[in-house]
Amino acid sequence: MTRVAIPELRDHLTSPITRAALTVQRQVLTCAREFLTAAGFMELQAPIVGPVTDPGGRGAKPADVDLYGSRYKLMTSAILYKQASLLMFDKIFFISPCVRLEPLETAATDRHLVEFHQIDVEMAGASRDEAIELAQNLLRYVVSGTANLRPDALEALGRDTGAFAGYGDGDFDRVTHAEAVRTLHAIGHAQQADAEIDWPGEAKLSAKAARPFFIVDYPKGSRGFYDRESETEPGLLRNFDLIAPEGYGELASGSERESGYRRIIARIRESGENPAKYQWYLDLLRAGIPASAGFGLGVERLTRYVAGLDAVWQASAYPKLPGTATP
């Protein structure tokens, strides 16, 4: 893929590429809503600010706002609120806005925005396998629906829809985190065995793939405190990433959720954080939140993949790259 520079805002807004990309995005969201609604999910509106947010990872930080004299956070992810929402409905989703102050070096990855959106999905009583199946089927529905209903926009972008051939041929492959690390070591990439797959490593794995696949079983400590630890394989988390082929990289992350009050307290402390900052969430946990599984699927990243765009900022009308305060 060719790296392209962000043009002036007027040029970006009047570009036929932007118009076609956002036409694809609209169809992507229409298909996602159709699929999830037909599967019995209730769409809710995610909060934008709160006393605490997803602690994040890979160096990303939340942005603070002053809310009537209290320091609140813009949501980096709606994960805690997704779990809380299961007190109302067993199956929910958000199209949620997120703000993450990404490390400056991620501006060069073509995959990161400071302001973006996620299709956030959560199911009470579900397993990781059920969340993986749902993510797989959602992606299939979105890709096939967009290719069938907006071939004009994809053609305008030069997207080869032959890249989606074989989507219906069985389940997407799964590789464990340990297997992914071994593959990267075999090709000379120095991936840490106890950490998330780094951006260059993820790109290498993605570029080798002919169709989407899942990476599962990340090591404990590499992900958030809400990812449930395996009961049969201590030290491994019941989680996953959905990776697109062609070098596009991660589209979604998900897991079974930890819902035990004492276990969550321990996991928060293990991560070096003070449990007191999560008081509202812990109060709900103490009273009881359903065990669940779910995932967050990046809207702009998904649009980039389906549309075949060079960079994720092309899937946003008003893109904000790490280190850039405008537009």
Side-chain angles (χ1 to χ4, degrees):
M1 282 173 272
T2 303
R3 178 155 294 165
V4 289
I6 297 183
E8 294 294 328
L9 180 58
R10 180 176 177 80
D11 292 338
H12 176 59
L13 292 174
T14 59
S15 167
I17 292 175
T18 305
R19 182 181 180 89
L22 296 183
T23 298
V24 169
Q25 186 173 102
R26 179 178 182 275
Q27 189 60 56
V28 162
L29 289 172
T30 297
C31 288
R33 283 189 164 104
E34 287 176 354
F35 176 86
L36 291 168
T37 300
F41 285 80
M42 172 67 73
E43 181 175 5
L44 302 176
Q45 303 305 309
I48 299 171
V49 299
V52 71
T53 185
D54 181 349
R58 297 191 179 189
K61 299 182 183 301
D64 289 344
V65 294
D66 186 307
L67 196 67
Y68 301 111
S70 296
R71 301 305 295 171
Y72 270 49
K73 308 290 183 183
L74 293 176
M75 291 295 106
T76 62
S77 161
I79 172 63
L80 305 181
Y81 291 93
K82 285 198 298 181
Q83 290 179 273
S85 296
L86 297 177
L87 292 169
M88 296 183 287
F89 302 100
D90 289 341
K91 300 164 76 172
I92 64 98
F93 75 99
F94 305 144
I95 309 294
S96 51
C98 303
V99 175
R100 292 181 190 173
L101 302 181
E102 297 281 1
L104 297 183
E105 60 269 21
T106 61
T109 65
D110 290 328
R111 298 187 58 250
H112 291 83
L113 293 170
V114 172
E115 184 180 76
F116 62 98
H117 298 79
Q118 288 194 148
I119 303 170
D120 268 313
V121 181
E122 202 73 13
M123 302 178 285
S127 67
R128 179 184 67 182
D129 288 348
E130 289 172 311
I132 282 178
E133 182 179 12
L134 183 72
Q136 172 183 275
N137 292 338
L138 173 58
L139 180 60
R140 280 180 166 151
Y141 188 88
V142 165
V143 167
S144 63
T146 303
N148 289 333
L149 296 171
R150 294 315 314 230
D152 54 332
L154 295 175
E155 183 178 356
L157 293 164
R159 181 52 158 150
D160 177 12
T161 55
F164 307 137
Y167 259 50
D169 299 335
D171 291 335
F172 297 158
D173 290 340
R174 299 187 196 184
V175 298
T176 66
H177 178 275
E179 290 169 338
V181 169
R182 288 195 291 270
T183 296
L184 290 171
H185 286 175
I187 60 176
H189 182 77
Q191 169 65 45
Q192 289 182 261
D194 61 350
E196 289 205 67
I197 304 298
D198 61 31
W199 305 124
E202 184 183 289
K204 292 177 189 294
L205 295 172
S206 172
K208 288 166 56 70
R211 67 178 192 156
F213 66 97
F214 293 97
I215 300 177
V216 300
D217 297 343
Y218 279 76
K220 185 180 178 183
S222 67
R223 287 290 177 88
F225 59 76
Y226 41 76
D227 284 10
R228 192 170 75 82
E229 185 176 3
S230 172
E231 295 180 358
T232 58
E233 298 178 274
L236 296 182
L237 300 173
R238 295 283 295 168
N239 61 3
F240 65 90
D241 279 349
L242 172 57
I243 310 295
E246 303 178 78
Y248 287 100
E250 177 200 320
L251 296 178
S253 290
S255 72
E256 288 180 22
R257 314 303 188 187
E258 183 57 77
S259 58
Y261 175 76
R262 294 187 182 279
R263 290 192 297 272
I264 284 285
I265 291 284
R267 291 285 299 279
I268 292 173
R269 286 177 173 153
E270 287 171 5
S271 70
E273 292 201 89
N274 182 356
K277 66 188 286 189
Y278 296 96
Q279 195 58 54
W280 74 267
Y281 173 70
L282 295 174
D283 287 344
L284 290 178
L285 276 176
R286 186 187 290 111
I289 288 179
S292 65
F295 56 86
L297 175 60
V299 172
E300 288 82 4
R301 287 185 180 181
L302 178 56
T303 302
R304 182 196 178 201
Y305 168 57
V306 175
L309 302 173
D310 292 318
V312 72
W313 63 259
Q314 294 173 296
S316 173
Y318 303 98
K320 295 180 179 65
L321 287 179
T324 304
T326 58

